[in-house]
């Protein structure tokens, strides 16, 4: 009995017994550990796929690592073979496929022909043939080439005889990057509308021929190219999955070392890599991966709680064994050794088997996801960090099992260790929230406090479960004393209120299970809704069409509003939108103000709106606030006959007319100078143009030097004639004082280079500024609702009046001003002609026509514009690997919680039947029937279920509010705009409760039916 090996052997023999409870405990640990390992691998797989998608999203021209040498070779150290060797040494063991070597000679005159020449070592995979065949290796006697663009003859010089064998286009811009313009490919075509193709603004001179050859060596030694600048490049293309997430650090580190090594060798070397893009992809994936760890932490905590509940089944058996050993003379250390060996063995076996199961699941998941199995395993479950987590999990599991089987039930109501745990969890949570430690910024930055943030839900759930466990017996006793239920119900309440035991542990576990289930489902619903709201916030109506700034393609240069309306079809509407970026009164920290001019219907029909964004107002209420209720289109004087003429002078001033064309654009037309005499000024204007302003232009030198320095030029303009008489109601702007005469207008103003002086019609917005909606910061600058706010754009101020305050508005971010489109256009064009043009379209399309309209917008002439379809944005969010994985993991966590809650209740019933055999016998002896005993046990199970459900739902709602506040991120890991709004899918919650009820009824019914089968139940026979 004094031998430690005997105790170890006894523990082994006891663990092998089926009724010891060790099997159920180990099984719970197997599942918990497998889930933890699966989550680690899932994080690696999801973040790797997310990184692959991010790499695919890098612009093609930047999606590569390239070493570049530029210049004209001089000595032997700059020969191609030497440069190749230097690059090979610098990038040894780089880890990416490649490189692809190439040379590009600057466009120049070669042998009397202007031409661009490039060569690739391996041209076939990098071009798409349009005609002909692939070239053979270039030689001095015959250098076969493919024409990529341009027309004209090719050079034919000694050592450089270019022979065209076909035409082709580059497969992508990835190889040459920005060395070649987009139009340098033979198939480059903007597919502009005919009006744009005829416009001189978009005209480009015809480029010279560009040809590509196979092989660089012959061109290097060509005498005709000896004095031509060339670029040698070695390109390692990046592709989805190459590099993997865990390879990015090594790739960037090696590229930095290669840059240092090559620039040390020659200043003509450079190494380019998409460092910022790869780092951004890495950060985004890692941040979102932490969100998945949050989900996995919930599942692991739930399963560990189940393990504790299951381990209670070991305690009764161990207690009996310890009593027998004490009777036989065993010492205390032997009893502790027996408990420790059994606890450690259960934990070690459970964690080891669970981790192996997790490795198998991880390998299968990686294979199904198309990720490298060995790479995923070595970066997750088999990595040093992963194995460390497994060891920690085993130690924690052993400690939990040991505490569960060793701690004695607490008698009375005194403050105990468990209560101390609850207080500590509450204090940690409160300090984390009050001190700003628990917020999404910390989590996003990878701060050390991120671990605390990930543990917060578990801490809150544990604290709530302990509080429920402390209060549950009191409530049960109160119900047994004052309840009016049946005898079976009151007997069940008496049993539940007797004190600590399986009932208290069960209701605590059910609290955790239901809380985490509601948290998982609520967070899933919140994230799913957030993705839809973000799509609707980014694309306020079904489709948004914007101008292509890169190619200078304006929306209404491609098609008229009427044509867009016809494209949308019946039941839809095309809303022109005015969008400009301005500043507000040069206020500190207020820049980049977005000004949106919208129609009444566009405001009413925005795709997402929450009334709390505007103090309870709906979009219809907001549209009414900014509705001018009067005509506000810009006024002017029509110029029939395509001619503008007026009589002016004498004076030194010149004049320019500001005219508005039929398409809404503006043009400044010089009229000339008075030249010290009264002259007739005239100019031709486009048909149906309107004169909206007459600019007074001072002489070129209006500020003199020397004695006259600082003296402004005061100009006087006398304007007469039929057109001038129509200008008499006009007002002066920029210091102009206008006086009417019978024949016209006399305008006088001090003229300076800092401002524009002109005469213009009085506009509707001069007396009543546009009514707008603004964000709170802008409203504060204006002094609240009703105040005036100066919006500066194009060097001029536009006064607007605050009619309402909104926290945010769909289609804009940051500080925002929203008003009536025509009213804002008039006000802006009045002070800065042409700045108020509509440059965007919001299309409200019938649902069944959205795909058709989207396809039409992808074809000429519309594809010259930038088109965003809300349905596509939503689909991208749904198919994002991190978002998809997060939502599935949350749903799986909720389902697992419900299943484990049912199993936990079944375990509680089994413990009840085992521990209360004597009481059941007494009841049978007093005449209780098996049906009555079943009702008592089932009533206890129902009481536990109701208590756990109510406490769990309350805790879950609190957790949901907490998590969505401190982890305010989308399923894809980004900061949401608009912010998350907590939502619970009541249908799924009710369905989950129903599933739990059905599973529990089946398990409890089966257990009680078997226990009390026949006229005399097993408890009676066992007592005999």
């Amino acid at each position: 009995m004094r031998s430690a090996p005997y105790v170890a052997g006894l523990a082994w023999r006891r663990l092998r017994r089926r009724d010891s409870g060790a099997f159920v405990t180990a099984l719970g640990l197997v599942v918990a550990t497998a889930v933890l390992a699966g989550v680690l691998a899932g994080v690696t797989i999801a973040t790797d796929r997310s990184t692959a998608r991010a790499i695919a999203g890098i612009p093609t021209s930047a999606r590569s690592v390239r070493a570049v040498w530029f210049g004209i070779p001089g000595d032997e150290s700059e020969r191609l073979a030497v440069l190749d060797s230097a690059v090979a040494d610098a990038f040894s063991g780089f880890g990416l496929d490649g490189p692809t070597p190439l040379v590009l000679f600057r466009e120049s005159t070669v042998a009397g022909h202007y031409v661009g020449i490039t060569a690739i070592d391996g041209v076939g995979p990098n071009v798409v043939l349009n005609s002909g065949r692939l070239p053979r290796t270039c030689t001095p006697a015959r250098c076969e080439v493919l024409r990529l663009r341009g027309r004209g003859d090719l050079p034919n010089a000694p050592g450089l005889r270019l022979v065209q064998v076909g035409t082709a286009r580059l497969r992508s811009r990835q190889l040459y990057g920005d060395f070649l313009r987009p139009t340098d490919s033979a198939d480059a075509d903007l597919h502009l509308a005919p009006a744009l193709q005829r416009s001189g603004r978009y005209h480009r001179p015809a480029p010279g021929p560009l040809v590509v050859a196979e092989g660089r060596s012959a061109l290097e030694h060509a005498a005709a190219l000896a004095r031509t600048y060339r670029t040698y490049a070695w390109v390692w293309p990046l592709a989805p999955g190459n590099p993997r997430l865990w390879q990015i650090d090594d790739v960037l580190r090696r590229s930095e070392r290669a840059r240092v090594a090559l620039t040390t060798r020659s200043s003509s070397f450079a190494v380019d890599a998409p460092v910022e893009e790869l780092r951004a992809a890495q950060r985004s994936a890692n941040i979102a991966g932490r969100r998945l760890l949050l989900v996995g932490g919930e599942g692991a905590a739930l399963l560990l709680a189940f393990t504790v509940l299951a381990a209670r089944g070991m305690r009764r058996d161990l207690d009996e064994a310890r009593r027998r050993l004490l009777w036989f003379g065993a010492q205390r250390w032997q009893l502790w050794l027996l408990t420790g060996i059994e606890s450690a063995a259960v934990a070690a076996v459970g964690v080891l088997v669970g981790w192996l199961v997790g490795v198998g699941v991880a390998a299968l998941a990686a294979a199904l996801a198309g990720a490298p199995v060995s790479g995923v395993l070595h970066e997750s479950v088999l990595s040093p960090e992963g194995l460390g987590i497994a060891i920690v999990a085993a130690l924690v599991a052993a400690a939990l099992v040991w505490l569960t089987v060793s701690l004695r039930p607490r008698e009375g109501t005194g403050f105990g260790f468990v209560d101390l745990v609850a207080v500590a969890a509450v204090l940690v949570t409160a300090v984390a929230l009050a001190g700003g430690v628990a917020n999404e910024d910390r989590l996003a930055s990878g701060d050390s406090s991120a671990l605390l943030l990930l543990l917060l839900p578990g801490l809150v759930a544990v604290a709530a479960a302990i509080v429920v466990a402390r209060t549950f017996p009191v409530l049960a006793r109160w119900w047994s004393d004052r309840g009016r239920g049946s005898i079976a119900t009151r007997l069940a309440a008496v049993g539940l209120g007797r004190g600590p035991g399986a009932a208290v542990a069960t209701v605590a576990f059910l609290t955790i299970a239901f809380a985490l289930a509601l948290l998982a489902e609520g967070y899933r619903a919140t994230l799913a809704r957030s993705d839809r709201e973000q799509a609707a916030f980014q694309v306020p109506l079904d489709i948004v069409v914007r101008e292509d700034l890169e190619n200078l393609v304006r929306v209404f240069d491609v098609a008229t509003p009427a044509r867009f309306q016809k494209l949308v079809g019946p039941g839809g509407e095309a809303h022109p939108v005015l969008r400009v970026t301005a500043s507000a009164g040069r206020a500190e920290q207020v820049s980049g103000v977005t000004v949106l001019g919208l129609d009444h219907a566009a405001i009413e029909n925005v795709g997402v709106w929450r009334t709390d964004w505007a103090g309870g107002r709906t979009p219809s209420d907001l549209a009414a606030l900014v509705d001018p209720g009067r005509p506000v289109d810009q006024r002017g004087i029509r110029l029939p006959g395509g001619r503008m003429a007026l009589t002016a002078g004498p004076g030194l001033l010149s004049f320019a007319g500001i005219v508005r064309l039929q398409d809404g654009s503006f043009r400044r037309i010089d009229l000339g100078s008075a030249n010290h005499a009264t002259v007739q000024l005239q100019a031709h204007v486009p048909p149906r143009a309107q004169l909206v302003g007459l600019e007074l232009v001072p002489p070129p030198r209006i500020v003199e030097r020397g004695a006259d320095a600082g003296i402004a030029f005061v100009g006087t303009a006398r304007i007469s004639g039929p057109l001038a008489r129509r200008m008499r109601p006009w007002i002066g702007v920029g210091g102009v004082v206008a006086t009417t005469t019978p024949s016209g207008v006399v305008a006088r103003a001090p003229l300076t280079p800092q401002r524009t002086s002109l005469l213009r019609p009085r506009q509707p917005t001069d007396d009543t500024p546009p009514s707008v909606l603004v964000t709170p910061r802008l409203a504060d600058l204006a002094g609240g609702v009703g105040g005036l706010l100066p919006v500066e754009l194009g060097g001029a101020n536009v006064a607007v009046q605050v009619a309402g305050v909104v926290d945010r508005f769909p289609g804009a971010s940051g500080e925002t001003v929203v008003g009536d489109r025509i009213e804002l256009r008039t006000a802006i064009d009045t002070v800065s002609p042409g700045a108020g043009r509509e440059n965007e379209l919001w299309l409200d399309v019938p649902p069944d026509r959205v795909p058709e309209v989207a396809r039409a917008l992808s074809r000429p002439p519309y594809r010259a514009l930038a088109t965003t379809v809300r349905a596509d944005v939503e689909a991208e969010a749904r198919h994002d690997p991190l978002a998809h994985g997060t939502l599935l993991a949350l749903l799986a966590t909720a389902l697992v919680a419900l299943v484990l809650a049912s199993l936990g209740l079944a375990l509680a019933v089994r413990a009840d039947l085992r521990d209360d055999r004597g009481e059941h016998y007494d009841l049978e002896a007093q005449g209780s029937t098996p049906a009555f005993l079943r009702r008592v046990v089932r009533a206890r199970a129902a009481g536990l279920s109701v208590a756990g459900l109510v406490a769990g739902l309350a805790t879950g709602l609190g957790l949901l509010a907490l998590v969505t506040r401190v982890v305010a991120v989308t399923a894809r890991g980004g900061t949401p705009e608009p912010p998350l709004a907590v939502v619970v899918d009541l249908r799924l919650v009710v369905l989950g409760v129903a599933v739990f009820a059905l599973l529990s009824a089946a398990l409890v019914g089966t257990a009680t039916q078997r226990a009390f089968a026949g006229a005399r139940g097993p408890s009676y026979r066992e007592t005999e």
Side-chain angles (χ1 to χ4, degrees):
M1 291 296 296
R2 298 174 183 174
S3 171
Y6 171 79
V7 176
L10 177 62
W12 170 248
R13 290 191 295 273
R14 284 177 41 77
L15 290 174
R16 294 175 59 187
R17 293 170 47 231
R18 294 182 179 180
D19 59 348
S20 67
F23 176 77
V24 176
T25 306
L27 184 61
L29 281 174
V30 167
V31 178
T33 308
V35 168
L36 181 59
V39 167
L40 289 177
V43 168
T44 302
I45 295 170
T47 52
D48 179 57
R49 290 185 59 191
S50 177
T51 304
R53 287 171 63 95
I55 291 175
I58 298 175
T60 307
S61 59
R63 201 189 310 148
S64 61
V65 177
R66 66 181 69 244
V68 177
W69 186 92
F70 175 76
I72 299 177
D75 56 26
E76 291 297 324
S77 65
E78 295 179 336
R79 294 302 176 187
L80 184 56
V82 179
L83 299 179
D84 281 340
S85 177
V87 171
D89 292 341
F91 284 88
S92 177
F94 189 43
L96 293 180
D97 297 336
T100 300
L102 62 91
V103 60
L104 175 65
F105 291 87
R106 176 181 287 180
E107 291 180 329
S108 59
T109 301
V110 179
H113 299 277
Y114 188 74
V115 67
I117 303 174
T118 183
I120 306 173
D121 285 358
V123 72
N126 298 292
V127 298
V128 176
L129 283 176
N130 294 330
S131 64
R133 59 173 176 81
L134 290 175
R136 299 185 179 91
T137 302
C138 178
T139 64
R142 179 183 173 87
C143 187
E144 296 182 351
V145 297
L146 295 172
R147 187 184 294 263
L148 298 178
R149 64 115 204 262
R151 298 179 179 179
D153 297 333
L154 300 179
N156 186 359
L160 185 64
R161 181 170 175 257
L162 300 183
V163 179
Q164 179 177 332
V165 294
T167 61
R169 60 183 174 88
L170 294 175
R171 192 171 294 277
S172 75
R173 296 181 61 193
Q174 191 171 15
L175 196 60
Y176 284 88
D178 291 328
F179 288 110
L180 298 180
R181 300 187 306 272
T183 54
D184 285 336
S185 180
D187 66 337
D189 183 7
L190 292 177
H191 294 286
L192 302 179
L196 289 179
Q197 294 171 345
R198 294 192 298 266
S199 173
R201 181 175 47 158
Y202 297 99
H203 175 71
R204 294 188 179 97
L210 175 65
V211 297
V212 60
E214 170 67 53
R216 302 167 298 159
S217 300
L219 296 179
E220 179 198 16
H221 300 96
L225 299 174
R227 298 174 56 189
T228 303
Y229 280 92
R230 81 279 313 271
T231 298
Y232 292 123
W234 298 260
V235 182
W236 289 263
L238 302 182
N242 188 23
R244 296 286 178 183
L245 172 63
W246 51 85
Q247 295 174 329
I248 290 179
D249 286 334
D250 185 64
V251 166
L252 294 181
R253 182 172 57 252
R254 289 179 180 272
S255 65
E256 287 294 325
R257 291 178 180 174
R259 177 183 292 111
V260 172
L262 291 177
T263 53
T264 301
R265 188 183 187 98
S266 171
S267 60
S268 296
F269 266 119
V271 175
D272 297 322
V275 178
E276 292 301 323
E277 291 84 351
L278 289 177
R279 289 298 186 197
Q282 191 180 40
R283 285 193 300 269
S284 176
N286 287 333
I287 291 169
R290 295 190 186 102
R291 289 3 177 240
L292 280 177
L293 285 177
L294 172 65
V295 178
E298 295 173 17
L302 176 66
L303 290 166
L304 287 175
F306 178 78
T307 301
V308 172
L309 182 66
R312 291 180 55 84
M314 295 176 57
R315 190 171 71 184
R316 181 183 177 89
D317 189 68
L318 264 173
D319 286 345
E320 294 177 354
R322 284 190 290 249
R323 283 195 298 268
R324 289 194 299 270
L325 291 175
L326 279 174
W327 190 82
F328 281 108
Q331 300 182 19
R332 292 288 179 183
W333 70 267
Q334 291 175 318
L335 300 181
W336 286 109
L337 180 61
L338 178 68
T339 303
I341 290 176
E342 290 197 16
S343 301
V346 169
V349 172
V351 171
L352 177 61
V353 174
W355 205 258
L356 292 176
V357 172
V359 170
V361 171
L364 178 62
L368 293 176
V373 174
S374 61
V376 168
L377 296 181
H378 284 94
E379 293 298 323
S380 56
V381 290
L382 298 183
S383 67
E385 293 82 2
L387 295 177
I389 290 175
I391 294 173
V392 171
L395 295 176
V396 170
L400 284 175
V401 174
W402 181 83
L403 288 172
T404 303
V405 300
S406 299
L407 291 180
R408 309 308 307 157
R410 183 174 53 83
E411 301 294 340
T413 59
F415 191 84
F417 173 76
V418 175
D419 304 291
L420 182 63
V421 172
V423 172
V426 171
L427 288 177
V428 170
T429 303
V431 171
L433 295 177
V437 175
N439 59 62
E440 62 272 19
D441 295 332
R442 299 267 187 167
L443 188 59
S445 64
D447 192 275
S448 58
S449 63
L451 177 61
L452 175 61
L453 178 57
L454 297 176
L455 294 176
L456 278 180
L459 293 175
V460 175
V462 168
I466 294 174
V467 171
V468 171
R470 289 286 281 158
T471 58
F472 176 72
V474 178
L475 295 176
R477 285 193 295 270
W478 176 86
W479 178 257
S480 65
D481 292 339
R482 302 189 181 185
R484 295 184 179 181
S486 65
I487 297 177
T489 303
R490 297 189 64 181
L491 282 176
V494 170
L496 293 176
R498 281 195 308 249
V504 174
T506 303
V507 78
F509 169 73
L510 291 178
T511 299
I512 295 176
F514 287 125
L516 293 182
L518 182 61
L519 170 62
E521 166 50 29
Y523 200 25
R524 183 207 63 81
T526 299
L527 293 179
R529 173 180 171 177
S530 175
D531 284 339
R532 293 192 298 270
E533 288 188 342
Q534 286 182 83
F537 201 86
Q538 179 183 343
V539 188
L541 295 183
D542 297 297
I543 300 176
V544 170
V545 180
R546 296 185 175 94
E547 61 184 2
D548 188 342
L549 297 178
E550 182 178 351
N551 293 313
L552 301 177
V553 180
R554 297 181 178 179
V555 173
F556 297 113
D557 288 338
V558 172
T560 63
R563 188 172 177 183
F564 279 107
Q565 181 61 52
K566 183 178 179 181
L567 175 66
V568 171
E573 192 168 355
H575 300 281
V577 176
L578 183 155
R579 180 190 294 271
V580 293
T581 302
S583 60
R586 301 181 181 179
E588 183 180 0
Q589 297 180 349
V590 178
S591 60
V593 177
T594 300
V595 179
L596 280 181
L598 302 172
D599 294 333
H600 190 283
I603 298 176
E604 281 189 322
N605 298 323
V606 290
V608 58
W609 186 257
R610 301 181 198 158
T611 54
D612 59 293
W613 293 346
R617 290 190 177 97
T618 65
S620 297
D621 299 331
L622 299 178
L625 287 178
V626 299
D627 188 356
R630 68 189 195 285
V632 287
D633 208 352
Q634 190 172 22
R635 299 167 183 168
I637 299 175
R638 288 196 175 276
L639 301 172
R643 181 172 172 272
M644 176 172 53
L646 54 83
T647 302
L652 298 176
L653 295 178
S654 299
F655 300 89
I658 309 299
V659 298
R660 182 182 180 184
L661 307 183
Q662 187 180 6
D663 62 0
S665 61
F666 290 81
R667 183 177 299 178
R668 184 179 184 273
I669 299 177
D670 290 324
L671 292 171
S673 174
N675 292 327
H676 302 281
T678 300
V679 296
Q680 180 77 13
L681 303 177
Q682 59 182 351
H684 291 286
V685 297
R688 300 184 182 180
Q690 281 185 316
L691 180 65
V692 296
L694 183 67
E695 182 180 348
L696 279 60
V697 183
R701 295 179 62 194
I702 62 173
V703 179
E704 299 292 341
R705 298 179 182 273
D708 292 330
I711 299 176
F713 176 84
V714 178
T716 301
R718 293 175 174 82
I719 309 168
S720 58
L723 182 59
R725 285 193 291 272
R726 298 177 64 185
M727 295 167 56
R728 283 183 291 189
W730 285 19
I731 61 175
V733 179
V736 175
V737 178
T739 306
T740 61
T741 66
S743 59
V745 179
V746 176
R748 185 175 185 275
L751 305 175
T752 67
Q754 285 75 31
R755 63 184 178 183
T756 301
S757 300
L758 53 80
L759 291 169
R760 64 168 177 80
R762 180 175 292 276
Q763 301 295 344
T765 55
D766 290 333
D767 300 323
T768 305
S771 299
V772 296
L773 310 170
V774 299
T775 44
R777 170 68 171 146
L778 299 180
D780 182 64
L781 293 176
V785 176
L788 295 179
L789 179 71
V791 178
E792 182 180 350
L793 68 161
N797 282 332
V798 177
V800 295
Q801 187 171 32
V802 177
V805 181
V806 294
D807 291 336
R808 53 185 46 81
F809 195 87
S813 59
E815 305 299 339
T816 306
V817 174
V818 181
D820 179 76
R821 172 177 62 90
I822 298 178
E823 192 174 26
L824 281 175
R825 183 185 67 190
T826 299
I828 294 172
D829 284 341
T830 296
V831 300
S832 182
R837 64 181 178 85
E838 290 84 351
N839 51 8
E840 192 167 304
L841 266 176
W842 292 1
L843 305 182
D844 190 359
V845 186
D848 59 332
R849 284 186 48 80
V850 170
E852 179 184 348
V853 174
R855 286 192 297 270
L857 290 171
S858 66
R859 297 191 293 265
Y862 303 106
R863 79 174 185 183
L865 303 172
T867 300
T868 307
V869 182
R870 185 200 298 173
D872 293 343
V873 177
E874 289 185 15
E876 181 183 1
R878 287 195 303 269
H879 293 96
D880 181 88
L882 283 176
H884 190 65
T886 300
L887 297 180
L888 284 180
L890 287 169
L891 183 60
T893 300
L895 292 175
V896 168
L898 292 176
V899 172
L900 289 182
S902 302
L903 292 176
L905 187 62
L907 287 177
V909 170
R910 291 187 59 188
D912 185 14
L913 294 173
R914 182 191 61 211
D915 296 342
D916 295 338
R917 286 179 299 181
E919 294 182 7
H920 295 158
Y921 171 72
D922 290 340
L923 291 173
E924 284 181 314
Q926 297 175 36
S928 298
T929 63
F932 177 80
L933 295 178
R934 282 194 290 269
R935 286 199 299 271
V936 171
V937 175
R938 291 170 182 174
R940 294 182 65 173
L944 292 175
S945 300
V946 172
L949 180 62
V950 173
L953 291 179
T955 305
L957 290 175
L959 281 173
L960 192 56
L962 170 68
V963 168
T964 52
R965 186 174 76 85
V966 301
V967 190
V969 293
T970 67
R972 290 176 286 175
T975 301
E977 181 59 31
L980 294 183
V982 177
V983 60
V984 177
D985 192 332
L986 291 179
R987 293 173 301 176
L988 286 179
V989 172
V990 172
L991 178 61
V993 173
V995 169
F996 166 75
L998 291 175
L999 284 175
S1000 300
L1003 293 173
V1004 172
T1006 301
T1008 54
Q1009 189 67 36
R1010 294 177 59 187
F1012 299 107
R1016 302 175 67 186
S1019 58
Y1020 178 81
R1021 291 194 298 270
E1022 290 177 4
T1023 304
E1024 286 183 329

